[in-house]
Amino acid sequence: MPVKTLKLTGERFELTPQDDQFPALLRAIPKPPEHLYGVGASDALRPGLAVVGARRATPYGRSAAKRFASMAAERGIVIVSGGARGCDAVAHEAALAAGCPTVAFLGGGCNQLYPAENAGLFQRIVDGGGAVVSEQPWDFMPLPYTFRERNRLIAGLARATLIVEAGLPSGTFSTADEALAAGREVWVVPGAITSENSRGANRLLYQGALPIIDDESFADALFSAYGCLKEPTPPAADGAAAPGGTPTAEEALLDALRAEPLGMEALRSLAQSHHPRGDALTWLVVWLATAQRDGLIAQYPDGRYGPRVGAGRGRR
């Protein structure tokens, strides 16, 4: 339930379409908001990139949200999302880590933070030069229909909306509808046809959305939509996988298994390539057991491993 007593600290603002600071992109959507109530920096409400996905995101979805939100934020693009669990929260965190403002649109008023466990994230968004915003008055309790309504604001403040994972039906899928209604671009990260979380995303690709298949295609899309922005920061020196860089061993194995079922010999070869230090086979066996326990993969009757059918079902 929303938290009634916890309030964000920071500068508060109220805007109407008659105000100079009111975002021009939101004036142009089919149903512009009559008011915007926000905490944080009102100048963060500039054309950004919407990054949305499933609340119960798979590791693949969370990784993609982080990867592409980071790449955009490192080029100075404001990340816009809904502050929800899963892909939304990951996208906001990626922007904060890159030192770029991010904007979260809430379903209820800004004094009714939802989800409650993301209250700390919302405060860090404000502290990081971004804004937490709603078209609902400060103490308005979030209702099911208001989340659907706020999706038009997420899509409306963005020149393009990136769909990471979307089921059918889902709030994420509805955000893509709102982007199209506003005449904005829709970009989609493809998912496995066996994943319930990717049914909506793959359907959008079938309907003509722009596929984001790798870092290069995403960089091209950013250049086309946002122009020549600042270059991204160099990879971290601690050896961790940077956004758009070399995936971790776990990510590499999950990606490989989503592409096709693999036997132990092929998996062992992959493990040795991506986990060269120490006993790769022992690490692989432990990882396989953990991934099966978490419902990420399954062992098939022929002994090969692959994605578990129906795993990771989740909706916004």
Side-chain angles (χ1 to χ4, degrees), residues 264-284:
M264 277 299 295
E265 286 303 316
L267 288 170
R268 182 174 184 175
S269 178
L270 279 171
Q272 289 173 335
S273 298
H274 293 277
H275 192 273
R277 288 175 291 184
D279 188 345
L281 179 58
T282 299
W283 175 86
L284 172 63

Side-chain angles (χ1 to χ4, degrees), residues 84-99:
R85 305 175 182 94
C87 292
D88 286 19
V90 169
H92 290 304
E93 293 281 10
L96 291 172

Side-chain angles (χ1 to χ4, degrees), residues 102-189:
T102 180
V103 174
F105 281 102
L106 302 184
C110 292
N111 288 344
Q112 300 291 340
L113 301 180
Y114 185 88
E117 66 262 30
N118 283 354
L121 170 61
F122 296 140
Q123 186 62 60
R124 284 186 286 114
I125 287 173
V126 171
D127 296 341
V132 176
V133 189
S134 177
E135 66 177 323
Q136 308 298 341
W138 299 106
D139 294 307
F140 186 91
M141 295 286 289
L143 299 170
Y145 79 89
T146 61
F147 290 97
R148 176 65 174 80
E149 287 287 306
R150 68 89 191 264
N151 289 343
R152 81 187 196 286
L153 306 182
I154 296 173
L157 190 60
R159 290 179 181 167
T161 293
L162 176 67
I163 306 296
V164 179
E165 285 188 318
L168 279 176
S170 68
T172 303
F173 195 81
S174 77
T175 306
D177 288 340
E178 296 291 351
L180 293 172
R184 310 294 163 75
E185 296 184 30
V186 176
W187 307 342
V188 178
V189 178

Side-chain angles (χ1 to χ4, degrees), residues 22-29 32-33 36 105 152-153 156-157 184:
F22 192 90
L25 284 182
L26 289 182
R27 288 196 187 101
I29 64 177
L36 289 177
F105 281 102
R152 81 187 196 286
L153 306 182
L157 190 60
R184 310 294 163 75

Side-chain angles (χ1 to χ4, degrees), residues 7-71:
K7 293 185 179 181
L8 297 172
T9 60
E11 184 176 352
R12 296 191 166 220
F13 58 86
E14 297 183 18
L15 301 174
T16 69
Q18 290 71 45
D19 294 320
D20 291 339
Q21 286 185 298
F22 192 90
L25 284 182
L26 289 182
R27 288 196 187 101
I29 64 177
K31 183 185 173 185
E34 296 180 0
H35 294 85
L36 289 177
Y37 304 86
V39 185
S42 61
D43 60 4
L45 303 181
R46 56 183 186 263
L49 172 70
V51 180
V52 293
R55 281 183 173 139
R56 295 181 182 176
T58 66
Y60 170 76
R62 295 175 67 88
S63 175
K66 178 180 179 181
R67 184 188 199 96
F68 295 125
S70 294
M71 286 182 64

